[in-house]
Amino acid sequence: MDLSLTEEQKLIVEMVKRFVRDEVAPLEDSLDPDEDTLPPEQFDKLVAKTKEMGLYGLGIPPEYGGPEVDITTNTLIAIEYSQHRAGLYAPCYGAFGGAGLAQMFEATEEQKEKYLYPTLRGEMKTFFGLSEPSGGSDPARAIQTRAVRDGDEWVINGSKLWISGADQADYGLLFARTNPKEGRGGVTCFIVETHWPGFNVRRIVHTLRQARHATEIQMEDLRVPHTNILGVEGGGFAIANDRLTRQRIPYAAACLGPAFKAHEMAIEYSQIRETFGAALSSRQGIQWMLVENEIDLRTARWFVLDAAAKADRGDDFRTEAAICKLVASEAAGRVIDRSMQIHGGLGVAKDLPFERWYREIRIRRIGEGPSEVQKHIIARDILGAGLR
Ligand SMILES: Cc1cc2nc3c(=O)[nH]c(=O)nc-3n(C[C@H](O)[C@H](O)[C@H](O)COP(=O)(O)OP(=O)(O)OC[C@H]3O[C@@H](n4cnc5c(N)ncnc54)[C@H](O)[C@@H]3O)c2cc1C
C-alpha cells in the first residue's frame, strides 16, 4: 500500500517539528523529571501558537471549530509532539486542545450545550469510566456497576478502577449495567458530573506513570437524570468499543514519539562516546542494536499510518487499530530499552528522559487494552467471529 505523504501533510509535519524543537523542547528542560504541566502563562503561549498555526483543536470536526486535518495528519502530529511533555503530551489537555470524548459529538443538543461545548472551549475536563476491579480486558462481562431506574432518574451503585484523571474531571462517561440478564446489550453509558452526591474518588492509584493519575471511584446511590444517557439504553458497549478503537491510533502514535527521539539520541551518543579507543558506533554489537531500533520503528510507523489511512477512507479499521497499538507499544518498549542501554549509566539517570520514557512506555502495553487483548481482536478477525 502507498503510504507516501501529500505535500500538505509534509508541510504541516515540518511546521510542527519546528514548533516542537524551538518552542516546546526548551520549556521541558525547566520541568521536574516527572512533571508535565507548564506554568499557565507558558502554556497559554503555546496554545496561542497552535491557534496561529491553525492546528488548535485536533480531533475536533471542522463543523465544531476544529482544524481541517485528516486522521493521518493528526497521527503524524502526535508522533512529533509526544516526543516532549511540556504542555503537549496528553491530547485534549495539551497545547493542541482536542475533543476529550469524541463520542460526545453524538450527544443530544441539550447534552452538547451543557458538556461538549464547554469542553471544546477548554473549560471542562473529562474522564472515561469503563474498567472495574472485576476486570478491564472484557468489560462487557466484567461490569458490575449497576444502574436501576427510578422515575426520571437512574440510581447507580458500584466502583470503577484505573480511571485516568477522574480526580480533576468535571464530568465523564460512566458505563453501568442496566439489564443484568444481557451481556453487551445490558450496558448503558451515562454522562455523570463528578460533584454530584454519591460520586466519590476513593483514591489515587499510584502507578509507574506520575502525571495524570489513575483513580478508583465509587458510586453510592448516585442519581443521574434519564436525559443524561448518552445514546440509547443498552447502547453503552458500542460506545465504549468505538472509543477504544478510535483511541488506539493516537495512543500508538504517542508511543512512537519518545521511541523515535530515544533512537535519535542513541545514534548521536554512539558516535561521540568512545570506549577502548573507538566510538561505540564502530562496534557491531551497538550497530545491531541501532539496526533493530530502526526496523522496529519503520515497521511500527507503517502499521500506524496504515490504520490511519484506513480510518481516513472510512473503512472498518478495527483490526488495523489493534495491530498498530500492539506493534507500536511493543516496539517502543524495545527501542527505548536498547537506547537506554547504549547510554550506559546515563540511560538510567534522571538527567536524561530515558527512565521516564521507560516507565511510561511500559504502561502503554496495558492501557487502552493490553497486548493480549489486541491479539485476541486480531485472532477473532483471522479466525472469524465464531471465536468467542
Ligand atoms: C495507568 C492506567 C490508566 C488507565 N486508564 C483507564 C481509564 O481512563 N479508563 C478505563 O476505563 N480504564 C483505564 N485503564 C484500565 C485498562 O484499560 C485496563 O487495565 C486494561 O484493560 C486491563 O484490564 P485489567 O487491568 O483488569 O486486566 P485483566 O482484564 O484482569 O487482565 C489481566 C491480564 O490478562 C491478560 N488477558 C486478559 N484476557 C486474556 C486472554 N483472553 N488471553 C490472554 N491473556 C489475556 C491481559 O492482557 C492482562 O495482561 C487504565 C489502566 C492503567 C494501567
Side-chain angles (χ1 to χ4, degrees), residues 127-139 160-165 175 205 207-209 212-215 243-244 251 363 365-374 376:
F127 73 85
F128 179 77
L130 180 67
S131 303
E132 301 202 357
S134 51
S137 298
D138 182 16
K160 298 274 171 189
L161 189 59
W162 308 117
I163 310 307
S164 297
F175 296 84
V205 188
T207 63
L208 288 172
R209 182 175 70 186
R212 201 159 184 253
H213 307 292
T215 63
R243 195 261 184 192
L244 292 170
Y251 199 83
I363 291 177
R365 282 163 51 197
I366 293 173
E368 298 294 334
S371 294
E372 294 74 19
V373 170
Q374 307 310 324
H376 175 71

Side-chain angles (χ1 to χ4, degrees), residues 16-67:
V16 173
K17 257 192 179 137
R18 274 199 306 278
F19 167 65
V20 169
R21 186 194 62 208
D22 299 342
E23 319 247 359
V24 181
L27 298 177
E28 191 172 32
D29 296 341
S30 64
L31 291 175
D32 182 81
D34 281 325
E35 185 56 76
D36 72 351
T37 311
L38 285 171
E41 62 284 4
Q42 287 184 348
F43 181 72
D44 292 346
K45 268 192 195 163
L46 289 183
V47 170
K49 186 76 190 176
T50 60
K51 284 186 176 164
E52 210 178 282
M53 294 192 295
L55 291 177
Y56 185 74
L58 287 178
I60 299 174
E63 60 270 31
Y64 289 91

Side-chain angles (χ1 to χ4, degrees), residues 118-363:
T119 311
L120 299 183
R121 292 195 296 271
E123 295 161 9
M124 282 182 136
K125 289 187 174 172
T126 61
F127 73 85
F128 179 77
L130 180 67
S131 303
E132 301 202 357
S134 51
S137 298
D138 182 16
R141 287 184 184 79
I143 288 179
Q144 292 177 1
T145 294
R146 185 79 169 92
V148 177
R149 184 131 190 204
D150 181 19
D152 288 342
E153 293 181 326
W154 289 81
V155 183
I156 303 185
N157 282 284
S159 63
K160 298 274 171 189
L161 189 59
W162 308 117
I163 310 307
S164 297
D167 54 326
Q168 292 160 16
D170 300 285
Y171 74 97
L173 300 185
L174 188 82
F175 296 84
R177 197 165 290 287
T178 43
N179 184 347
K181 293 194 185 108
E182 294 218 28
R184 293 171 179 220
V187 176
T188 300
C189 177
F190 294 89
I191 305 170
V192 165
E193 297 184 25
T194 53
H195 62 85
W196 282 346
F199 184 98
N200 302 304
V201 176
R202 277 181 76 183
R203 65 181 178 117
I204 303 288
V205 188
H206 294 284
T207 63
L208 288 172
R209 182 175 70 186
Q210 306 292 320
R212 201 159 184 253
H213 307 292
T215 63
E216 180 173 1
I217 59 179
Q218 177 91 41
M219 281 66 64
E220 280 170 329
D221 292 331
L222 170 69
R223 300 190 85 85
V224 181
H226 182 71
T227 49
N228 270 43
I229 286 181
L230 181 66
V232 293
E233 190 182 328
F237 188 74
I239 292 173
N241 237 357
D242 178 66
R243 195 261 184 192
L244 292 170
T245 302
R246 283 174 196 279
Q247 197 63 16
R248 278 176 191 140
I249 300 176
Y251 199 83
C255 293
L256 293 188
F260 270 113
K261 188 74 192 157
H263 181 44
E264 189 187 304
M265 289 169 72
I267 293 170
E268 278 174 22
Y269 189 71
S270 71
Q271 288 169 319
I272 55 170
R273 183 72 171 179
E274 291 194 1
T275 64
F276 304 98
L280 288 177
S281 59
S282 67
R283 314 290 181 188
Q284 197 175 48
I286 299 290
Q287 288 170 5
W288 286 12
M289 283 200 251
L290 294 173
V291 169
E292 282 161 8
N293 275 0
E294 185 75 23
I295 292 171
D296 265 338
L297 286 169
R298 286 191 196 206
T299 311
R301 185 175 182 276
W302 192 92
F303 278 114
V304 172
L305 291 182
D306 176 53
K310 211 161 183 197
D312 272 330
R313 288 198 302 273
D315 296 345
D316 181 350
F317 62 99
R318 279 174 294 184
T319 303
E320 284 73 14
I323 294 174
C324 85
K325 196 273 175 181
L326 171 69
V327 173
S329 60
E330 298 272 348
R334 292 191 295 269
V335 169
I336 287 169
D337 187 63
R338 289 187 205 108
S339 305
M340 210 171 182
Q341 189 71 13
I342 290 172
H343 277 77
L346 268 182
V348 292
K350 282 188 186 274
D351 299 18
L352 295 180
F354 294 102
E355 68 82 33
R356 178 170 50 79
W357 286 335
Y358 188 77
R359 285 184 278 116
E360 287 185 350
I361 224 69
R362 183 64 187 84
I363 291 177

